[in-house]
Amino acid sequence: MQRPDDSVFTRRDWKFESFEERLALSADPIADFWIDYQQHDLEQYAGPIVPLAAEGHGWTDVAAARDQFGLRGGRQTVAVIDSGIAYDHLALGGGLGKAERVVGGWDFAENDANPYDDGPAGFHGTHVAGIIGANDSQYAGVASDVDLVALRVFDDRGNGYFTWVESALRWVHQNRNGFDNPITTVNLSLGTEWNTNTLPQWATLEDELKQLAGDGIFISVAAGNSFLVYNGAGLSYPAVSEYVTPVASVDANGNLSRFSQRADRVLAAPGERVMSTLPDHFFGGDGNKNDWGATSGTSMAAPYVAGASVLVREAMTNLGFSQITQETIYDRLRTSADLVYDAATNASYRRVNLQRALDSLVGADDFGNSMRSATSIGSLTSTTTVSGTIGRVSDQDFFRFTAGQTGTATLALQASEQLAAQWQTGGSGQVAGNMLTMNVVAGQIYIVGVVGGGTSIGKFAVGVQLVGMGSSGESNGDESGGGNTGGDNIGANPINLGVVEQLRRNRLNLTTAGNWFQLQASRSGTLTVEALFQLSRGNIDLEVYDVGQRLIVSSATWASGERVDFQAAAGDTYFVRVRGVNANVDLRLTNLVTFAGNSVTVTGTNGADTFQWHGDARQFAINGVTYETGGSTNIRFDGRGGYDTATLVGGAAAENAVLSTGHAQLVGGGIAVTASNVQFSRVVGQRNDSAVLHDSAGQDFLTASATSVVFTGNGFRSAVEGFGNVTVYATAGGDDYARLHGSAGNDVLGVSLGRRVLHTGGVNIWTENFQTVHFYGGEGWDHVNFFAGSKHSSLGGQGATGWAYAQGYITQFAEVESLLAHVRAKQRLHAELSALDYFYRRIGV
């Protein structure tokens, strides 16, 4: 992006004349044009720029449309009827033609096939096109994969005529299916000086607009920027046409823009200081086709709604909706919109809530999203059909059935091409293309899942057929047995423990020599079975079998407890035999640990979990079940749900810890341990270790001493103990509070604006950006160094207590024996110090 020498932001005032046969761009002019040269420059003036898809406001969360639903506008084309498009812009594809993002167009002002936005006053169409479909990591458009058509209806002087617009609308109808992807949307960020709720007598575009609406094309039109002129509800033309969707503008807070025209029919969208693409010539041209700027107007809101309509149409198509028209899309956006009250007209208007619109299309999840929460479809005896929706790119739908007879179950998966659905079986059965074949045993439960390709949403259907064993009494699978080394067949009615993540059955009265339990693995990984008992009451041994009655693992020790570990496959069924007689046995099963290469992942349950790491022993534990790391060097804990606690105890090597809301990491000695989605993190280190703590977005509280540092806030608690160096960051300008405690020895507190540094008991504690800090010196001779800021600072005290103020940061101290204030030449320091016997103070310059 270019950067002029004289200023960071450039102002350009555009004047477009408008009368009966003359058009004005609907960004006209909103007086100011803000240009972004570097991202950090945006902070240098009041009022936020809206980097459209990069901003998530909830109601304008385009990022969620991409990340959650996989919607990017592919397989559609939007026609931009405007001042042309600078199609060489890198974010717009860099070219014109079939293989480019801008696939074609026409210049009706110059009557040629080059619709480039090259007028001296040009930029508008390029800016609009970027809001719709810019493909850029920082300023992505609403539908970043959509194709574009440029139809230029303004000449080099900014003059536009209805005859040109009329021709452009006819061109859209004639060419709507003339590209690889059909034209589904038209954007008209233009209008005349007009403000009514009825058509003007000279309206000349109605036949063409009606035709396009009949074609099913969504027509987004800027409502107009003249509300302050008319001071009443109404729309410009063609926004007032019954065949289009009029679009008003809201600011970054979601309130109607002062300039925006409005009426009951409008959909409102972001239209103030919206960042988007600009032609290279806008700044004089340096050959770098990647210029950006932000401007305001209903012209900027209309392409947002145009892009949103593309995403809604894409979702409807993927979900199997039929008869998708402008009306069905408009109704979906309107019924899911937020109501915004406008005091100027004493009325409420509809602001687009894209997240809610997409949520309403997808609907509630129809199946459980894990093996543990799989939805039952009952007993399967012959055939059935299961239909469902992958409503998020991360969604996975699991269903379970009970085999009504022993035999072979065949499942056929059908889904749209965009969904790219796949089976999730955990290794059970044989997958060939879209077919899954499983050998089943009567009375046993089986779980299968369907996942999308991770890029889109859509519908799926599964046809299930169960064929029983032949008259010979043998099936083609391996459920017929033959591998059981235990000598006994699996009991006829084993106790079904269901899908196991972690469960415990206490005080089991095992009065027979063989007790059978059935379970299903929730994930692929280590499955641990433990029997806890008192040996004096009777010895217990464990055996684990697969569905083919083959012995997988067993234990046979003479101790008060037995344990076996084996590798399970998600969804597979296993049988546990408890041998021996004991009237009080606790059975604990854990399927939360997965080893893969040099990494191990420990996933919590939906309840409260406790994670532990012991660096010296290189052991970890989940809810009291301990494991060896083996050769793993990356240990990852994931709390998942509930109130979870992680305790990380470091080893002898030098280590570094980082803690933030819901997260903790300890790195050193060749091992990295990470805990995520935990509410309480506690890390124990040594004097040669360092720790960094970060705050939340809310108000947080810190208490620190030489032995421990504890940082708490809404929903989190972070604690470090034994570290020699600790740094704690609070959000600048936030209302965060810290209490620092000295040791029994001599302590020193350094104070400089938002930084306070405490040297206590051989430990260094740095705090950054806490608005208020209290320091309690305690025993010993404690000292405060105050470094006055560049602006007016204040200092006060009496006896062993005092306070220091600098640029909004307040430091209070007590039980302090000496104070030294450092003031640079020409600085002002207001001091109010009362002399007492043991309060020693000096002012240094």
Side-chain angles (χ1 to χ4, degrees):
M1 286 177 272
Q2 301 186 80
R3 185 184 181 93
D5 296 332
D6 56 344
S7 66
V8 174
F9 297 101
T10 299
R11 169 176 293 187
R12 293 191 175 189
D13 295 330
W14 303 100
K15 297 184 181 300
F16 300 106
E17 297 177 273
S18 58
F19 48 88
E20 182 177 333
E21 279 287 318
R22 197 81 165 264
L23 299 177
L25 302 176
S26 292
D28 168 34
I30 314 306
D32 298 330
F33 194 77
W34 295 273
I35 305 303
D36 170 46
Y37 298 99
Q38 295 182 10
Q39 183 176 5
H40 67 264
D41 290 337
L42 303 182
E43 302 173 358
Q44 298 186 16
Y45 64 92
I49 275 181
V50 182
L52 214 49
E55 276 292 305
H57 294 289
W59 45 273
T60 62
D61 203 346
V62 179
R66 293 196 309 268
D67 300 339
Q68 294 182 27
F69 302 98
L71 302 173
R72 293 173 173 82
R75 306 190 182 195
Q76 295 182 60
T77 301
V78 177
V80 178
I81 300 178
D82 212 292
S83 64
I85 297 177
Y87 44 75
D88 56 357
H89 197 289
L90 296 180
L92 299 176
L96 173 68
K98 179 180 177 64
E100 305 292 346
R101 290 284 311 288
V102 183
V103 294
W106 193 262
D107 186 340
F108 293 93
E110 298 178 358
N111 198 30
D112 60 37
N114 183 17
Y116 193 84
D117 190 4
D118 58 358
F123 78 87
H124 193 271
T126 304
H127 198 272
V128 165
I131 295 172
I132 295 170
N135 195 332
D136 182 79
S137 59
Q138 184 176 1
Y139 298 120
V142 178
S144 56
D145 285 356
V146 77
D147 287 343
L148 298 166
V149 161
L151 300 176
R152 188 170 185 251
V153 295
F154 288 89
D155 62 20
D156 289 350
R157 293 180 296 173
N159 301 322
Y161 299 91
F162 276 122
T163 53
W164 294 346
V165 177
E166 191 172 26
S167 297
L169 294 171
R170 291 173 181 168
W171 187 98
V172 172
H173 170 69
Q174 294 165 2
N175 294 275
R176 65 191 186 281
N177 295 313
F179 302 95
D180 289 345
N181 299 312
I183 298 175
T184 62
T185 307
V186 169
N187 189 85
L188 288 164
S189 288
L190 48 79
T192 57
E193 192 73 23
W194 190 256
N195 190 68
T196 66
N197 286 306
T198 59
L199 285 176
Q201 293 182 350
W202 42 264
T204 61
L205 306 177
E206 294 308 286
D207 290 343
E208 289 74 21
L209 295 173
K210 181 179 180 180
Q211 177 65 68
L212 293 181
D215 294 335
I217 292 175
F218 189 97
I219 310 166
S220 184
V221 181
N225 298 325
S226 300
F227 179 77
L228 296 178
V229 174
Y230 297 103
N231 200 30
L235 297 171
S236 174
Y237 182 76
V240 73
S241 172
E242 65 176 300
Y243 303 115
V244 307
T245 297
V247 182
S249 168
V250 295
D251 60 23
N253 295 318
N255 299 315
L256 279 174
S257 301
R258 295 174 63 249
F259 56 79
S260 176
Q261 289 173 250
R262 59 207 69 174
D264 179 66
R265 291 176 48 233
V266 299
L267 295 176
E272 291 195 33
R273 295 183 176 180
V274 179
M275 187 63 64
S276 189
T277 47
L278 292 175
D280 183 49
H281 67 75
F282 188 86
F283 300 120
D286 64 353
N288 181 17
K289 314 294 187 179
N290 196 28
D291 294 293
W292 299 83
T295 191
S296 302
T298 56
S299 272
M300 285 60 254
Y304 177 92
V305 172
S309 78
V310 168
L311 300 185
V312 171
R313 186 186 296 266
E314 182 181 5
M316 286 180 164
T317 301
N318 291 351
L319 294 171
F321 283 70
S322 59
Q323 297 298 317
I324 305 173
T325 65
Q326 174 172 233
E327 184 177 358
T328 59
I329 295 173
Y330 173 81
D331 288 345
R332 180 67 58 169
L333 290 171
R334 182 174 176 84
T335 56
S336 61
D338 300 315
L339 282 176
V340 178
Y341 177 72
D342 171 42
T345 57
N346 193 30
S348 293
Y349 301 95
R350 306 274 178 167
R351 182 186 64 205
V352 169
N353 187 319
L354 184 56
Q355 174 81 53
R356 190 181 297 139
L358 297 174
D359 284 340
S360 68
L361 283 171
V362 171
D365 197 3
D366 35 21
F367 290 101
N369 60 7
S370 69
M371 290 193 170
R372 181 176 179 82
S373 60
T375 301
S376 174
I377 62 170
S379 178
L380 178 64
T381 57
S382 56
T383 62
T384 189
T385 300
V386 177
S387 299
T389 303
I390 299 298
R392 300 287 193 280
V393 294
S394 60
D395 190 18
Q396 44 188 3
D397 286 352
F398 288 88
F399 58 90
R400 57 185 169 89
F401 62 88
T402 302
Q405 57 180 322
T406 298
T408 302
T410 303
L411 298 86
L413 173 61
Q414 295 182 335
S416 62
E417 179 183 353
Q418 294 88 344
L419 183 58
Q422 303 171 15
W423 289 110
Q424 179 70 276
T425 67
S428 299
Q430 298 294 321
V431 176
N434 69 325
M435 304 296 292
L436 169 63
T437 304
M438 306 173 66
N439 294 318
V440 298
V441 177
Q444 292 189 17
I445 297 174
Y446 298 87
I447 297 178
V448 296
V450 176
V451 298
T455 59
S456 186
I457 60 175
K459 295 281 189 179
F460 69 87
V462 176
V464 188
Q465 183 178 27
L466 174 58
V467 177
M469 290 178 13
S471 58
S472 65
E474 295 180 355
S475 72
N476 295 325
D478 55 15
E479 277 77 11
S480 58
N484 183 0
T485 63
D488 294 321
N489 291 325
I490 293 173
N493 294 298
I495 299 173
N496 194 339
L497 301 176
V499 180
V500 170
E501 286 187 320
Q502 189 173 55
L503 63 84
R504 182 164 179 156
R505 292 290 181 89
N506 293 331
R507 295 182 295 277
L508 295 175
N509 185 5
L510 305 181
T511 57
T512 61
N515 295 270
W516 290 92
F517 299 86
Q518 177 182 335
L519 63 99
Q520 197 158 30
S522 61
R523 59 177 48 81
S524 295
T526 301
L527 204 158
T528 302
V529 182
E530 297 172 283
L532 310 174
F533 55 92
Q534 291 184 14
L535 182 60
S536 60
R537 296 186 177 185
N539 186 47
I540 292 294
D541 294 318
L542 295 172
E543 297 173 351
V544 179
Y545 297 84
D546 63 12
V547 292
Q549 302 190 43
R550 292 181 293 249
L551 179 66
I552 299 174
V553 65
S554 64
S555 71
T557 64
W558 196 262
S560 294
E562 298 285 342
R563 170 172 170 165
V564 292
D565 296 85
F566 65 97
Q567 291 303 302
D572 278 6
T573 298
Y574 301 94
F575 297 89
V576 175
R577 185 180 189 185
V578 182
R579 287 183 175 270
V581 177
N582 191 306
N584 191 354
V585 177
D586 293 345
L587 190 64
R588 180 167 62 182
L589 298 95
T590 304
N591 186 204
L592 299 172
V593 178
T594 302
F595 289 87
N598 66 346
S599 299
V600 56
T601 301
V602 186
T603 306
T605 68
N606 286 326
D609 298 304
T610 300
F611 303 94
Q612 293 177 310
W613 163 253
H614 299 279
D616 285 334
R618 297 210 168 189
Q619 293 179 336
F620 62 88
I622 170 68
N623 297 330
V625 183
T626 303
Y627 296 85
E628 303 288 340
T629 60
S632 300
T633 56
N634 293 289
I635 293 87
R636 296 190 289 264
F637 300 132
D638 183 359
R640 205 176 85 181
Y643 189 93
D644 301 316
T645 300
T647 299
L648 312 181
V649 180
E655 295 173 307
N656 296 309
V658 178
L659 295 87
S660 58
T661 305
H663 180 88
Q665 184 177 57
L666 182 65
V667 179
I671 291 184
V673 185
T674 304
S676 302
N677 300 314
V678 293
Q679 286 65 50
F680 179 22
S681 299
R682 174 175 171 260
V683 185
V684 180
Q686 301 183 72
R687 284 292 187 264
N688 61 338
D689 298 332
S690 298
V692 176
L693 289 79
H694 296 274
D695 70 339
S696 72
Q699 184 180 34
D700 304 307
F701 174 74
L702 172 72
T703 179
S705 67
T707 57
S708 69
V709 176
V710 180
F711 203 15
T712 59
N714 185 21
F716 85 98
R717 180 181 177 89
S718 300
V720 297
E721 301 172 13
F723 284 80
N725 294 280
V726 180
T727 304
V728 188
Y729 291 99
T731 304
D735 191 18
D736 299 311
Y737 173 79
R739 181 182 291 129
L740 309 180
H741 295 271
S743 66
N746 302 331
D747 305 311
V748 178
L749 177 69
V751 179
S752 60
L753 295 182
R755 174 176 296 172
R756 288 80 151 193
V757 182
L758 175 61
H759 305 280
T760 176
V763 176
N764 301 315
I765 302 173
W766 296 63
T767 66
E768 300 279 353
N769 298 321
F770 282 84
Q771 184 173 359
T772 304
V773 173
H774 281 75
F775 170 54
Y776 300 89
E779 301 178 20
W781 183 275
D782 300 315
H783 174 75
V784 174
N785 275 322
F786 175 54
F787 299 86
S790 59
K791 296 182 179 180
H792 177 67
S793 302
S794 300
L795 185 65
Q798 182 175 15
T801 63
W803 52 265
Y805 174 85
Q807 295 188 27
Y809 295 101
I810 302 172
T811 305
Q812 296 178 318
F813 41 87
E815 302 177 17
V816 172
E817 282 66 44
S818 67
L819 167 69
L820 176 61
H822 301 264
V823 185
R824 287 179 290 185
K826 297 184 180 180
Q827 278 188 309
R828 297 177 59 195
L829 174 65
H830 178 72
E832 298 178 358
L833 302 172
S834 299
L836 291 180
D837 293 340
Y838 60 92
F839 188 80
Y840 175 63
R841 63 214 185 274
R842 292 182 293 159
I843 305 296
V845 178

Coordinates of all heavy atoms in Angstrom, one line a residue, residues 43 46 77 131 157 212 225 250 254 280 346 356 465 475 567 605 637 650 677 681 741 777 816:
E43 N -5.2 3.0 14.4 CA -5.5 3.4 15.8 C -5.3 4.9 16.0 O -5.4 5.4 17.1 CB -4.5 2.6 16.7 CG -4.7 1.1 16.6 CD -3.6 0.3 17.3 OE1 -2.8 1.0 17.9 OE2 -3.7 -0.9 17.3
A46 N -10.1 8.6 15.9 CA -11.3 8.0 16.6 C -12.2 7.3 15.7 O -12.3 7.7 14.5 CB -12.0 9.2 17.3
T77 N -21.8 -16.2 -9.0 CA -21.2 -15.0 -9.5 C -22.1 -13.8 -9.1 O -23.3 -13.9 -9.2 CB -21.1 -15.1 -11.1 OG1 -20.3 -16.2 -11.4 CG2 -20.6 -13.8 -11.7
I131 N -15.7 -5.5 -0.9 CA -16.6 -5.9 0.2 C -17.3 -7.2 -0.1 O -17.5 -8.0 0.8 CB -17.6 -4.7 0.5 CG1 -16.8 -3.5 0.9 CG2 -18.6 -5.1 1.5 CD1 -17.7 -2.2 1.0
R157 N -16.0 11.0 -15.7 CA -16.3 12.1 -14.9 C -17.3 11.8 -13.8 O -17.7 12.7 -13.1 CB -16.9 13.2 -15.8 CG -15.9 13.8 -16.7 CD -16.5 14.9 -17.6 NE -17.6 14.4 -18.4 CZ -18.4 15.2 -19.1 NH1 -18.2 16.5 -19.1 NH2 -19.3 14.6 -19.9
L212 N -35.3 -9.9 -13.4 CA -34.2 -10.5 -12.6 C -34.8 -11.1 -11.3 O -34.3 -12.2 -11.0 CB -33.2 -9.4 -12.3 CG -32.4 -8.9 -13.5 CD1 -31.3 -7.9 -13.0 CD2 -31.7 -10.0 -14.2
N225 N -28.1 8.1 1.0 CA -27.4 8.8 2.1 C -27.9 10.1 2.5 O -27.2 10.9 3.0 CB -25.9 8.9 1.7 CG -25.2 7.6 1.4 OD1 -25.5 6.6 2.1 ND2 -24.3 7.6 0.4
V250 N -25.4 0.8 9.1 CA -25.2 0.9 10.5 C -23.7 1.2 10.8 O -22.9 0.8 10.0 CB -25.7 -0.3 11.3 CG1 -27.2 -0.5 11.2 CG2 -25.0 -1.6 10.9
G254 N -23.6 -1.0 15.6 CA -24.8 -1.6 15.2 C -26.0 -0.6 15.1 O -27.1 -1.0 14.9
D280 N -5.1 0.9 -8.2 CA -3.7 1.4 -8.0 C -3.6 2.9 -8.3 O -2.8 3.6 -7.7 CB -2.8 0.6 -8.9 CG -1.3 1.0 -8.6 OD1 -0.9 1.1 -7.5 OD2 -0.6 1.2 -9.6
N346 N -38.6 7.2 15.3 CA -39.4 6.5 16.4 C -39.9 5.1 15.8 O -41.1 4.7 16.0 CB -40.6 7.3 16.8 CG -41.3 6.8 18.0 OD1 -40.6 6.2 18.9 ND2 -42.6 7.0 18.2
R356 N -27.2 -15.8 13.0 CA -28.5 -16.3 13.4 C -29.2 -16.8 12.1 O -29.9 -17.8 12.2 CB -29.3 -15.2 14.0 CG -30.6 -15.8 14.6 CD -31.5 -14.7 15.3 NE -30.8 -14.1 16.4 CZ -30.7 -12.8 16.6 NH1 -31.4 -11.9 15.8 NH2 -30.1 -12.3 17.7
Q465 N -29.0 -52.1 6.1 CA -29.6 -53.4 5.9 C -28.8 -54.5 6.7 O -27.6 -54.6 6.7 CB -29.5 -53.8 4.4 CG -30.2 -55.1 4.1 CD -30.2 -55.5 2.6 OE1 -29.3 -55.0 1.9 NE2 -31.2 -56.2 2.1
S475 N -21.6 -67.3 10.4 CA -21.5 -66.0 9.6 C -20.2 -65.9 8.9 O -19.3 -66.7 9.2 CB -21.7 -64.8 10.6 OG -20.6 -64.6 11.4
Q567 N -4.7 -51.0 23.6 CA -5.1 -50.0 22.6 C -6.4 -50.3 22.0 O -6.6 -51.4 21.5 CB -4.0 -50.0 21.5 CG -2.7 -49.4 21.9 CD -2.8 -48.0 22.4 OE1 -3.3 -47.1 21.7 NE2 -2.4 -47.8 23.7
T605 N -13.4 -35.2 30.5 CA -14.8 -35.5 30.3 C -15.6 -34.2 30.3 O -15.0 -33.1 30.4 CB -15.3 -36.4 31.4 OG1 -15.3 -35.7 32.6 CG2 -14.4 -37.6 31.5
F637 N -3.0 -31.6 27.6 CA -4.3 -31.8 28.3 C -5.4 -30.9 27.8 O -5.1 -29.8 27.5 CB -4.1 -31.5 29.8 CG -3.0 -32.2 30.5 CD1 -2.1 -31.6 31.3 CD2 -3.0 -33.6 30.4 CE1 -1.1 -32.3 32.0 CE2 -2.0 -34.3 31.1 CZ -1.0 -33.7 31.9
G650 N 7.2 -28.9 37.6 CA 8.4 -28.9 36.7 C 9.5 -29.8 37.2 O 9.5 -30.3 38.4
N677 N -8.4 -25.3 27.9 CA -9.8 -25.4 28.4 C -9.9 -25.8 29.9 O -10.7 -26.6 30.2 CB -10.6 -26.4 27.5 CG -10.6 -25.9 26.1 OD1 -10.8 -24.8 25.8 ND2 -10.3 -26.9 25.2
S681 N -5.3 -23.3 36.7 CA -4.0 -23.8 36.3 C -3.0 -23.5 37.4 O -2.9 -22.3 37.9 CB -3.5 -23.1 35.0 OG -4.4 -23.4 33.9
H741 N 3.1 -8.5 48.2 CA 3.5 -8.7 49.6 C 5.0 -8.9 49.6 O 5.6 -9.7 48.9 CB 2.8 -9.9 50.2 CG 1.4 -9.8 50.3 ND1 0.8 -9.2 51.4 CD2 0.4 -10.1 49.4 CE1 -0.6 -9.2 51.2 NE2 -0.8 -9.7 50.0
G777 N 5.1 -3.9 52.5 CA 6.5 -4.3 52.7 C 6.8 -5.4 53.7 O 7.6 -6.2 53.5
V816 N 6.7 0.6 54.6 CA 7.8 0.9 53.8 C 8.7 1.9 54.6 O 8.2 2.9 55.1 CB 7.4 1.5 52.4 CG1 8.6 2.0 51.7 CG2 6.7 0.4 51.6

